[in-house]
Amino acid sequence: MKVAFGEQINEALLQHERRRTMILIVLFAVGIGYRFLDLFVLKTTDPDTPTTTFGVTWLFPVTILLFEVVSFLIITKHLRSNQKTLPLAARYVNTIIEVCLPSCMIFIIAKQYPQFNVLNSPVVYIYFVFVILSTLRLNFWLSFFCGALAAASYVTFSYFIYKHFYASDGVKATILLFSGIAAGLVARQIRKGIDNLLKESEKRHLVEDLFGQQISMEIAEKMLEQDGKLESKRMRVAIMFIDIRNFTQFAADKHPEEIVQYQNAFFKIVIDSVTRYNGIINQFLGDGCMVTFGAPVELNNPAQYAVQAGLMLLDELNKVSANGGMPVTKIGVGIHTGEVVTGNIGTAKRRQYSITGSVVILASRIEQLNKQFGSQLLVSEEVIQSIDINTAPTCFGYVALKGWHKPVSVYKLA
């Protein structure tokens, strides 16, 4: 869990880093595009501004744009590979480069045009762009470092280029520093939120995995969605009972480990076949199981799914047995369809998802008839009326079922 959580955090950090880089690319591309438009079309530039021509200062926004494009490609490559993180040192180096590039532009402009106080120009606002967007790095110290570096650059220019440090300069430098701190605090809160969200997600997945090993994953998900409650309701389902023939004789001279190994191999085939056709196993019965199609997730024709799953199960068992994957295994399958009541039964301390109704009893009794008819897959007349099959079923007519008040029409499919 901890490994998966760490990987999710690293991937989230990379995603935010790429988003930050993409925003910078768009901003500088739009800025450069607007500058071109202003010079050649709008022509609204103040003639006293020192950057009305394509001087060396144009290299800096273009360089920043190219730098961010390269950063974006590197981050994307990391996301597509198994490397889900960037070294922290690389992020600090990236911050230094991003802050130093506009600093270089300010320095060049200040030297070439000493009469122009570049610290009072909009160029300084570039620092705020990097400081604000550093929030997306979700690291307080990176944001603080960005703000501190921008403030230090501003103080340096005031002292060593313009030979002064007025109160207004101090205020601007302080604002830059506090912007970094504020961005860092926001980043920390966002990071905590993401951490908590991912932790809750991991806990949910863990609960679903553990819960789903005891009952069907579909039931587990439904119960988690409804705070552990599944209200009773009527649903049309198909019930399948599966029983291993002569299991008692098979297990009589086997060690417990051999029996468990055989059961695991058998139930793997059952689970694969049933899951393929949207069925869920309600109960494992040692030498068999009870399967439901159509609850808690509703199906249009649950009987059709049940029959297809039963036929697939028989086919897969024959294949595995023929390949020596497990001993030759004969089973009996009984399927009946109709309305049942589904939902939780029990108390607040102990609940169990239950399928209740005569459909369950009849499906069990129909399965037991396989011993009498030497068959492997028997279904009720209701199932036959609901499905579409290529082969004609064998009808055994009305058969008396143990403990049932009237005969039931039974059909053989295998």
Side-chain angles (χ1 to χ4, degrees):
M1 178 176 172
K2 289 183 179 179
V3 174
F5 176 72
E7 289 178 352
Q8 285 183 306
I9 282 292
N10 289 333
E11 185 171 357
L13 290 175
L14 268 185
Q15 291 284 4
H16 280 76
E17 183 73 19
R18 184 168 71 166
R19 194 172 294 116
R20 186 192 70 88
T21 305
M22 189 62 187
I23 292 172
L24 286 170
I25 291 173
V26 172
L27 286 177
F28 280 98
V30 170
I32 293 172
Y34 175 77
R35 190 60 177 160
F36 271 92
L37 183 66
D38 184 48
L39 286 174
F40 295 111
V41 180
L42 301 178
K43 298 181 180 180
T44 61
T45 304
D46 186 346
D48 295 328
T49 302
T51 54
T52 53
T53 59
F54 294 101
V56 69
T57 54
W58 273 88
L59 291 176
F60 293 101
V62 173
T63 302
I64 292 174
L65 178 63
L66 293 176
F67 173 75
E68 297 301 341
V69 169
V70 172
S71 298
F72 180 84
L73 294 175
I74 291 174
I75 295 168
T76 302
K77 182 179 179 182
H78 274 71
L79 281 171
R80 291 176 179 174
S81 67
N82 293 326
Q83 295 176 291
K84 295 298 184 181
T85 183
L86 284 174
L88 186 60
R91 298 188 181 195
Y92 275 99
V93 171
N94 181 278
T95 301
I96 292 171
I97 293 174
E98 286 180 345
V99 175
C100 285
L101 282 173
S103 297
C104 291
M105 180 170 63
I106 291 172
F107 180 79
I108 294 295
I109 294 174
K111 285 297 184 182
Q112 286 188 351
Y113 307 93
Q115 76 282 3
F116 179 75
N117 190 345
V118 70
L119 295 181
N120 291 330
S121 71
V123 175
V124 178
Y125 296 147
I126 296 177
Y127 287 130
F128 287 104
V129 173
F130 290 113
V131 172
I132 292 171
L133 290 179
S134 70
T135 303
L136 291 174
R137 285 178 154 157
L138 305 181
N139 185 305
F140 172 83
W141 294 109
L142 274 171
S143 295
F144 173 76
F145 178 73
C146 185
L149 190 59
S153 298
Y154 188 92
V155 171
T156 301
F157 292 137
S158 294
Y159 267 121
F160 296 100
I161 296 180
Y162 295 106
K163 309 299 182 182
H164 64 71
F165 190 72
Y166 301 135
S168 60
D169 297 321
V171 170
K172 290 179 181 178
T174 302
I175 291 175
L176 283 170
L177 178 61
F178 282 0
S179 296
I181 296 173
L185 292 173
V186 173
R188 178 175 288 176
Q189 288 301 116
I190 296 174
R191 173 66 182 268
K192 285 182 180 179
I194 292 176
D195 286 353
N196 291 334
L197 184 63
L198 291 177
K199 284 178 181 177
E200 288 301 316
S201 177
E202 284 292 329
K203 287 180 181 178
R204 178 183 174 86
H205 290 158
L206 180 61
V207 170
E208 287 178 350
D209 289 342
L210 294 176
F211 203 24
Q213 290 172 13
Q214 307 303 318
I215 62 175
S216 160
M217 183 61 73
E218 290 84 357
I219 297 175
E221 289 177 352
K222 283 286 184 181
M223 292 184 72
L224 287 170
E225 288 174 5
Q226 301 178 24
D227 297 325
K229 299 178 182 179
L230 281 178
E231 299 298 332
S232 296
K233 63 177 180 178
R234 280 181 171 268
M235 298 188 74
R236 182 167 186 81
V237 303
I239 302 295
M240 171 193 288
F241 274 89
I242 303 169
D243 182 69
I244 304 174
R245 292 289 172 259
N246 303 317
F247 180 75
T248 303
Q249 296 178 12
F250 169 82
D253 59 348
K254 300 292 190 300
H255 295 293
E257 292 81 5
E258 293 179 271
I259 297 173
V260 171
Q261 183 179 10
Y262 169 78
Q263 286 177 313
N264 287 339
F266 172 75
F267 284 119
K268 180 183 183 304
I269 299 172
V270 173
I271 291 170
D272 290 344
S273 302
V274 167
T275 303
R276 171 76 178 273
Y277 291 100
N278 302 310
I280 64 168
I281 296 179
N282 294 88
Q283 299 178 37
F284 288 103
L285 306 173
D287 59 349
C289 59
M290 170 184 163
V291 184
T292 303
F293 298 82
V297 180
E298 188 175 354
L299 297 174
N300 290 330
N301 188 349
Q304 184 73 43
Y305 286 96
V307 169
Q308 289 177 303
L311 293 173
M312 177 182 175
L313 171 60
L314 294 172
D315 186 53
E316 290 299 315
L317 277 175
N318 291 332
K319 288 180 182 178
V320 174
S321 298
N323 294 332
M326 63 182 297
V328 175
T329 300
K330 296 296 181 181
I331 64 171
V333 179
I335 302 173
H336 183 48
T337 186
E339 283 195 343
V340 298
V341 176
T342 70
N344 284 342
I345 59 171
T347 66
K349 291 184 177 180
R350 180 72 170 90
R351 286 193 181 100
Q352 179 177 332
Y353 183 75
S354 174
I355 307 290
T356 306
S358 60
V359 177
V360 178
I361 299 172
L362 283 172
S364 176
R365 297 292 186 266
I366 291 171
E367 184 281 313
Q368 293 172 7
L369 290 176
N370 282 291
K371 298 176 183 178
Q372 177 180 332
F373 293 117
S375 57
Q376 288 188 286
L377 175 55
L378 294 176
V379 302
S380 65
E381 185 175 6
E382 288 81 358
V383 171
I384 293 297
Q385 292 174 352
S386 302
I387 65 174
D388 180 18
I389 54 175
N390 296 325
T391 57
T394 301
C395 180
F396 291 120
Y398 285 90
V399 181
L401 299 179
K402 179 181 177 181
W404 197 246
H405 60 284
K406 63 178 182 179
V408 174
S409 183
V410 178
Y411 292 78
K412 173 185 175 182
L413 296 183

